[in-house]
Amino acid sequence: MTRILAGVFAVCGLLFGATAAGAAERIVFVGHWSESDSFYNVIRNSAQLAADQLGVTIEFRNPSGGDLSEMGRLIDQAIASKPAGIISTVPDEAIVGEPLSNAVATGIPVVIANSGSAEIAAKIGALRYIGQAEYEAGKAAGGKAKAAGVNSFVCVNHFYQHPVSHQRCQGFADGLGVPLGGQEIDSGTDPNDVVTRAAAYLKAHADTQAILTLGPTGADPMIKWVKDQGAADQYFFATFDLSQDIVSAMKDGLIKVAVDQQPFIQGYGAVAILTNYVRYGVLQANDVFSGPGLITKDNLEQVLALAGKYR
């Protein structure tokens, strides 16, 4: 009996020790989104879920108003705090590439999530990249539009300063088999600016057949505008990502296709990859491409309950 109890206490001690070690592990997640970006909530929710389940601490840091110039400073601050690891988006390699390389040089493991590429991750020295192949995602959506007879569009780009955004627009154009040319506009992030600039383009190019938005920041105000204009049947409306407004518009048939990069996988997977590496020194062999997945009215019911939270 004494030996049995001793064994039980020993096991309990090991479990307690592992829990305590897990609680002491701290990950910093630096993202490029503004707090008002609903897409950010999905990444954050899934990363927090993984942290809770794995027993690690996670801190989220993002630039005020989505100002990319702040990201380098936020990464430097994260390095100075000496976390167990850093997760970061790479909306612009010129801004965050060097700070993230510095993190790796100091011995802090890094995972790139959401924006960036496997090539950039390798260049920085990050463990892995987990995110969507952006050009391919745009091309897949463009293929859907082409099948519907579309040959012209406007790309309403709300994050024009991010190199990855242009890959989405170019992919859509290539999916249609047309030059991108001047069909991409810098809409800004303010809902009024989005509508004003997109409406001006559509007025000047009355033969435009499709509207492509690159996320809820552009999609949500454009959904309202299209409804207000009574133009639901006039445009093939395609978008990236999901929000409650996008889901509702898909149910109504206004939005024909949404590109789902499955941000749950990005946030949750990045925390899991980093935690497993820090704790056990194990690392999966390949980068992770979380998308694209195309959502249409036909498969929408699967994601309805989780839109805006985990989808």
Side-chain angles (χ1 to χ4, degrees):
M1 179 63 73
T2 301
R3 289 181 180 178
I4 293 174
L5 289 174
V8 170
F9 289 139
V11 171
C12 289
L14 287 172
L15 292 174
F16 178 79
T19 302
E25 292 161 354
R26 181 173 59 87
I27 294 170
V28 178
F29 194 140
V30 182
H32 63 267
W33 308 276
S34 66
E35 291 289 350
S36 62
D37 191 332
S38 60
F39 180 83
Y40 173 59
N41 291 333
V42 180
I43 294 276
R44 182 168 181 152
N45 289 345
S46 61
Q48 186 65 63
L49 178 64
D52 292 343
Q53 291 179 348
L54 294 170
V56 299
T57 300
I58 188 165
E59 298 173 3
F60 298 94
R61 304 182 185 183
N62 59 290
S64 56
D67 183 358
L68 294 188
S69 64
E70 292 185 32
M71 280 197 69
R73 178 176 56 81
L74 291 175
I75 293 168
D76 288 340
Q77 290 175 350
I79 295 171
S81 73
K82 298 181 179 179
I86 292 174
I87 300 169
S88 180
T89 63
V90 183
D92 191 334
E93 185 184 359
I95 294 175
V96 303
E98 183 176 350
L100 289 174
S101 294
N102 291 340
V104 173
T106 63
I108 300 173
V110 171
V111 171
I112 304 303
N114 177 255
S115 59
S117 68
E119 292 74 20
I120 290 174
K123 182 178 177 181
I124 288 170
L127 299 176
R128 287 290 176 264
Y129 166 72
I130 177 167
Q132 178 168 252
E134 300 291 1
Y135 170 81
E136 289 77 4
K139 191 172 183 179
K144 282 284 189 181
K146 181 179 181 179
V150 172
N151 55 41
S152 63
F153 73 108
V154 58
C155 180
V156 182
N157 189 339
H158 72 274
F159 61 126
Y160 197 88
Q161 72 273 33
H162 298 211
V164 68
S165 68
H166 308 296
Q167 296 176 25
R168 294 181 175 185
C169 300
Q170 185 63 62
F172 193 88
D174 290 351
L176 288 179
V178 302
L180 177 58
Q183 296 182 106
E184 178 182 8
I185 64 170
D186 179 359
S187 69
T189 59
D190 180 87
N192 293 325
D193 290 341
V194 170
V195 168
T196 298
R197 296 175 188 180
Y201 178 95
L202 292 168
K203 182 178 180 181
H205 302 81
D207 59 345
T208 300
Q209 296 175 298
I211 297 171
L212 172 67
T213 55
L214 302 188
T217 300
D220 291 353
M222 286 306 297
I223 289 168
K224 183 177 186 305
W225 180 83
V226 170
K227 287 181 177 179
D228 290 345
Q229 299 300 307
D233 296 328
Q234 184 174 342
Y235 302 107
F236 183 99
F237 198 144
T239 189
F240 279 72
D241 306 326
L242 294 175
S243 68
Q244 293 293 344
D245 287 349
I246 290 172
V247 169
S248 294
M250 293 190 74
K251 290 176 67 177
D252 295 340
L254 190 154
I255 289 182
K256 309 303 182 186
V257 61
V259 179
D260 182 19
Q261 60 181 288
Q262 301 183 107
F264 179 94
I265 294 176
Q266 297 170 12
Y268 193 100
V271 173
I273 289 171
L274 194 50
T275 301
N276 287 334
Y277 181 79
V278 169
R279 285 184 179 172
Y280 313 115
V282 296
L283 183 64
Q284 60 195 60
N286 302 307
D287 298 293
V288 178
F289 292 103
S290 63
L294 298 183
I295 299 176
T296 65
K297 195 172 183 180
D298 294 335
N299 61 357
L300 181 61
E301 290 297 326
Q302 297 176 354
V303 300
L304 277 177
L306 299 176
K309 184 176 182 181
Y310 294 127
R311 291 295 299 267

